[in-house]
Amino acid sequence: MSLSAWVRRARTPAPAPVAREFAFLEPADLFDLEIKDDPEASPVLCCTGDPAGAAAFNALWLKRIAASGRYAGAVSVRGQGGTPAAEGGVEARAHDLVQAAVTVPRQAVFIGHREGASWAALAAGRYPAAGLVLVSPRQFPKQPPKPVGGPPVLLVVSESEAQSKEAQAVTDAYGVAPLTFAGSPDEVFKGAAAEGLLDAILSWLAPKK
Amino acid sequence: MQEYSSQAAYDRGEAVCVIGAGASGLIAVKNLRENGFEVDCYERDTVLGGLWNPQNQHSPLYPNTHLVTSRSQTEIPDFPMPDDWPDYPSAAQMLTYLTAYAKHFGLSEHIWYGSEISTIEPVEGSRFEVIVKPAAGNAARRLRYAAVIIATGHHWAPNLPAYPGQDQYRGTVLHSSQLKDASRLRGKQVLVVGGGNSGVDIACEAAVNAAGCVHSVRRDSWHLPKYLGGEPADYALARLGSRPKFLRRFLTDRILKGPGRLAARMGIDVPDHGPTGEEPVRNGRYLEHVGDGSIRRRGEVARFDGYDVSFADGTEMRPDLVVLATGYRPKITCAPPGLLGVDGDSPYPKLLARMFSPRLETLAVAGLVEPGVGVLPIVHWQTHAIAHWLHVRKGDPERAANFRRQVVSESGQYEIEPSGASPRHQLAVDAEAYLASLGRIIDTLEQEPAK
Ligand SMILES: Cc1cc2nc3c(=O)[nH]c(=O)nc-3n(C[C@H](O)[C@H](O)[C@H](O)COP(=O)(O)OP(=O)(O)OC[C@H]3O[C@@H](n4cnc5c(N)ncnc54)[C@H](O)[C@@H]3O)c2cc1C
């Protein structure tokens, strides 16, 4: 975040606070002796453009992330899932994401899906995410902010989206080539394709802590 | 004289040493690490958070200390406070916040507690030998670092006035930092000396707890309520800062008209410089207490006499308790004064851009400013600049030399006319001008090197 961007934001009315729905699972919650909490591994915070919000990650994601030894969280931004609607556009949703991030015990990796990828990109311009994972981004900002603290960025899209203008925008902005997964961009929450996708993300994260 | 161990200094290579684990030290550690530096932070106390931690042995907190700057103007730019916190968080919340910051960014493992730095010595050109004061029975430790950032704060050495007759005074005198508990005021005739934020806050505590409160103020300052036009006052004023100059003037005058008239009614001469220059008093309750007589204002104390105190206007009183809210002297004892530009008669450091040592490129100070606005964001940008500077300096000597020239030329721009003898004003900067300067400094440092 540049100083001037901060000055501008500090002088703009803050979005109305909302009580955000937040779901999380820690490795210890799984009661599985095989699973070791890795205290060095960055927590993960997920969001999606899907109206279900945090709940979308319940079926598979939170458990599988926690099983990899990481704290796994998901947040519903305003108007999603159990979070009341409130005024404010994408900036307010990015605000919701940053507010969720600072309640996570340690510096978190953002995983954003669909519109959630756009909010995550904006949020990473204000908060030093430990990593930024963009899954099938939609309505991606033309000029996303430079991520604070220079986190590693991963772009994951379905094969059908590999040539999309969104994928291109992300590639241009961060200089990263997309990783593709088999299956539909809307079937990322459960099923075999979803598992493959998630495992690819987790193995990308693994060496980065 | 201190005896140092004969052991050779332990060389920490390219690591940076940060002195102090208050807000400024924590922000420095976080930003240095984010820029790839190894960092050791030394804290003389056993806790983090500096002055916001009541467990810190010398904490200057007084009863019911709350922020005088609002949440959005006080939070660290890349780690906001929870948005369901009040506009003006308490000292306890401030500590919760700083503790969460340290935990979130894993800072504690880089902090050595109970380790006071007694001095630093330049060695091998631009490096430093840092000497940790020994705990009882142990030898002093010496370590070598590539750079040092001093973040020891400036609220530890009380500034104590000496009035005629004060040493023979028979009543109780406390500095504001010694007043830990409002119950000490109960039922007493209290005299509060000092018209800054602490003095005004304590006078308000006395107004509701004590039997009577007299408030001695030497020099009037701007009185702002905590809200203006339905918004936190500092936020409302900062917003005007981004308007064109002529409009800013007009709008500022308009928004300050009410508070200015109220202050005038209470007999306070509003200084003609705007409230953004030096630290204004921010307390909405004070003038109401003056208005209902629970605080009686007096001018400067003239002398103490037995149990009595008399004022410059000739009036007298017999207080049970005198609270000196007379501020602090910025005192940096862990570095040779010359390195900080302290020279001749003035005890105040003269730093380049209010943060870089004028003598050594690898020595900087974080948080030694009174910007009249939230301090943490300023320190965030200062340490961001310092971290980038240390990078540039290592990799590109030519750019470094150019940068040095820029910093020197920027340094004169945000001095505020020293309008008072109070030590606080020596550190004052015009926040708007200082931030703009920090912005230019950071831009230069972040530019891609010309190939
Ligand atoms: C009563 C009061 C109210 C305030 N209210 C506000 C407000 O509303 N808003 C705002 O923005 N600012 C406010 N401030 C200003 C405050 O200075 C900053 O907010 C901020 O806390 C400063 O942090 P710091 O780290 O620079 O200093 P400090 O908090 O003083 O921390 C310095 C640390 O360095 C340690 N240390 C000192 N010397 C050594 C040594 N030789 N070796 C090792 N460690 C050492 C100390 O133990 C301490 O932990 C207030 C200050 C006071 C006194």
Side-chain angles (χ1 to χ4, degrees):
Chain A
M1 163 185 27
S2 69
L3 188 150
S4 54
W6 167 74
V7 167
R8 231 175 297 123
R9 186 154 46 79
R11 295 174 181 183
T12 313
V18 288
R20 283 168 284 266
E21 178 185 45
F22 189 79
F24 73 99
L25 208 54
E26 292 180 87
D29 297 334
L30 297 172
F31 297 108
D32 182 338
L33 291 178
E34 302 279 284
I35 294 167
K36 293 251 176 336
D37 185 353
D38 179 355
E40 299 269 285
S42 305
V44 171
L45 179 58
C46 308
C47 66
T48 172
D50 189 297
F57 297 97
N58 276 336
L60 168 73
W61 284 61
L62 297 186
K63 275 180 231 137
R64 212 173 179 91
I65 296 169
S68 77
R70 290 173 195 273
Y71 172 105
V75 63
S76 301
V77 301
R78 51 197 64 212
Q80 282 189 319
T83 300
E87 272 184 44
V90 287
E91 288 293 333
R93 289 171 173 78
H95 165 88
D96 288 337
L97 197 50
V98 173
Q99 282 288 322
V102 298
T103 66
V104 169
R106 278 167 301 117
Q107 220 173 335
V109 172
F110 285 139
I111 301 184
H113 169 245
R114 289 296 203 198
E115 288 81 357
S118 309
W119 310 331
L122 294 176
R126 308 181 179 182
Y127 161 85
L132 178 60
V133 180
L134 308 168
V135 183
S136 295
R138 200 181 260 171
Q139 292 176 5
F140 201 74
K142 281 213 183 60
Q143 285 180 320
K146 197 167 155 234
V148 180
V153 180
L154 174 68
L155 168 64
V156 202
V157 293
S158 72
E159 278 157 2
S160 63
E161 296 170 307
Q163 308 298 328
S164 72
K165 71 173 204 306
E166 251 81 17
Q168 193 55 49
V170 172
T171 301
D172 293 347
Y174 304 100
V176 292
L179 190 76
T180 54
F181 64 93
S184 144
D186 289 313
E187 284 165 17
V188 298
F189 295 117
K190 55 174 190 274
E195 288 175 23
L197 161 67
L198 189 47
D199 288 343
I201 295 174
L202 290 173
S203 63
W204 176 80
L205 272 179
K208 305 194 168 60
K209 285 297 167 188
Chain B
M1 202 40 219
Q2 173 87 58
E3 254 193 66
Y4 297 122
S5 99
S6 54
Q7 274 175 356
Y10 179 46
D11 197 321
R12 293 283 288 119
E14 289 303 301
V16 179
C17 168
V18 172
I19 309 177
S24 302
L26 294 173
I27 297 171
V29 175
K30 185 283 200 167
N31 282 337
L32 284 163
R33 293 200 29 85
E34 196 169 289
N35 281 280
F37 290 95
E38 244 195 276
V39 186
D40 291 343
C41 174
Y42 295 95
E43 167 55 54
R44 68 174 173 199
D45 214 283
T46 52
V47 290
L48 58 68
L51 65 81
W52 295 108
N53 197 327
Q55 286 183 45
N56 191 311
Q57 278 192 38
H58 314 273
S59 167
L61 297 178
Y62 46 82
N64 209 9
T65 310
H66 278 248
L67 289 185
V68 293
T69 52
S70 69
R71 172 161 57 77
S72 74
Q73 309 299 299
T74 308
E75 63 196 10
I76 304 167
D78 61 1
F79 191 78
M81 292 186 193
D83 64 358
D84 58 355
W85 278 16
D87 288 333
Y88 290 96
S90 65
Q93 283 174 312
M94 200 53 181
L95 178 59
T96 304
Y97 173 65
L98 293 172
T99 307
Y101 180 79
K103 184 156 180 258
H104 198 82
F105 294 109
L107 306 181
S108 288
E109 56 194 275
H110 308 287
I111 304 174
W112 299 83
Y113 292 100
S115 303
E116 178 169 350
I117 300 304
S118 46
T119 191
I120 61 172
E121 296 166 0
V123 288
E124 306 167 26
S126 64
R127 297 173 60 73
F128 288 94
E129 190 149 309
V130 168
I131 294 147
V132 187
K133 199 171 166 181
N138 292 329
R141 275 183 296 151
R142 300 167 153 259
L143 300 98
R144 287 194 176 189
Y145 291 92
V148 171
I149 298 181
I150 298 174
T152 49
H154 51 93
H155 296 98
W156 302 107
N159 173 50
L160 295 170
Y163 295 106
Q166 191 180 333
D167 37 354
Q168 265 112 58
Y169 178 62
R170 317 276 287 271
T172 310
V173 182
L174 297 177
H175 184 261
S176 59
S177 57
Q178 296 169 302
L179 181 77
K180 293 296 171 208
D181 187 351
S183 68
R184 290 195 78 159
L185 303 168
R186 203 149 295 147
K188 305 248 172 71
Q189 290 296 334
V190 177
L191 166 62
V192 180
V193 180
N197 275 303
S198 310
V200 163
D201 283 356
I202 291 169
C204 287
E205 285 299 306
V208 293
N209 287 298
C213 172
V214 170
H215 187 198
S216 155
V217 177
R218 184 173 55 187
R219 196 169 61 89
D220 287 336
S221 42
W222 265 93
H223 280 257
L224 293 182
K226 282 193 164 171
Y227 292 91
L228 282 172
E231 290 169 337
D234 53 350
Y235 167 77
L237 287 169
R239 271 174 71 114
L240 297 180
S242 27
R243 301 295 190 89
K245 248 203 172 106
F246 72 97
L247 201 57
R248 188 195 318 171
R249 185 80 220 205
F250 168 76
L251 292 170
T252 309
D253 286 350
R254 200 176 62 175
I255 198 170
L256 292 175
K257 201 163 171 185
R261 282 178 57 181
L262 178 59
R265 184 177 178 87
M266 300 303 157
I268 297 170
D269 260 339
V270 171
D272 6 300
H273 65 77
T276 50
E278 62 192 48
E279 186 77 21
V281 170
R282 305 165 196 267
N283 184 318
R285 294 179 298 153
Y286 178 72
L287 294 177
E288 307 222 334
H289 284 307
V290 176
D292 68 15
S294 48
I295 294 174
R296 281 164 295 144
R297 283 172 57 91
R298 294 280 184 280
E300 187 165 13
V301 169
R303 83 189 148 273
F304 286 74
D305 190 2
Y307 285 104
D308 298 317
V309 177
S310 46
F311 299 95
D313 62 5
T315 57
E316 287 189 3
M317 78 175 291
R318 178 167 287 198
D320 302 313
L321 174 66
V322 180
V323 182
L324 300 174
T326 40
Y328 297 83
R329 298 194 158 270
K331 207 164 117 185
I332 297 180
T333 50
C334 62
L339 295 186
L340 305 171
V342 176
D343 62 346
D345 21 317
S346 162
Y348 303 102
K350 267 212 153 356
L351 301 164
L352 301 179
R354 300 286 179 129
M355 56 182 165
F356 294 113
S357 157
R359 294 273 298 283
L360 285 169
E361 294 188 347
T362 46
L363 176 62
V365 182
L368 198 63
V369 284
E370 285 277 1
V373 298
V375 176
L376 276 51
I378 302 260
V379 172
H380 174 81
W381 296 114
Q382 282 185 329
T383 53
H384 183 96
I386 295 167
H388 279 258
W389 157 247
L390 292 175
H391 247 309
V392 168
R393 190 185 163 276
K394 247 188 345 197
D396 190 342
E398 194 181 324
R399 261 177 86 206
N402 284 335
F403 175 71
R404 224 37 209 179
R405 276 191 286 278
Q406 179 193 353
V407 169
V408 172
S409 73
E410 296 263 346
S411 293
Q413 294 181 12
Y414 24 77
E415 306 292 337
I416 286 179
E417 298 276 297
S419 47
S422 126
R424 197 180 63 189
H425 301 124
Q426 304 287 336
L427 301 179
V429 290
D430 178 283
E432 196 74 21
Y434 187 56
L435 274 171
S437 171
L438 279 175
R440 286 190 296 273
I441 286 174
I442 291 169
D443 282 348
T444 309
L445 289 171
E446 289 186 347
Q447 262 160 29
E448 294 301 321
K451 282 273 142 65

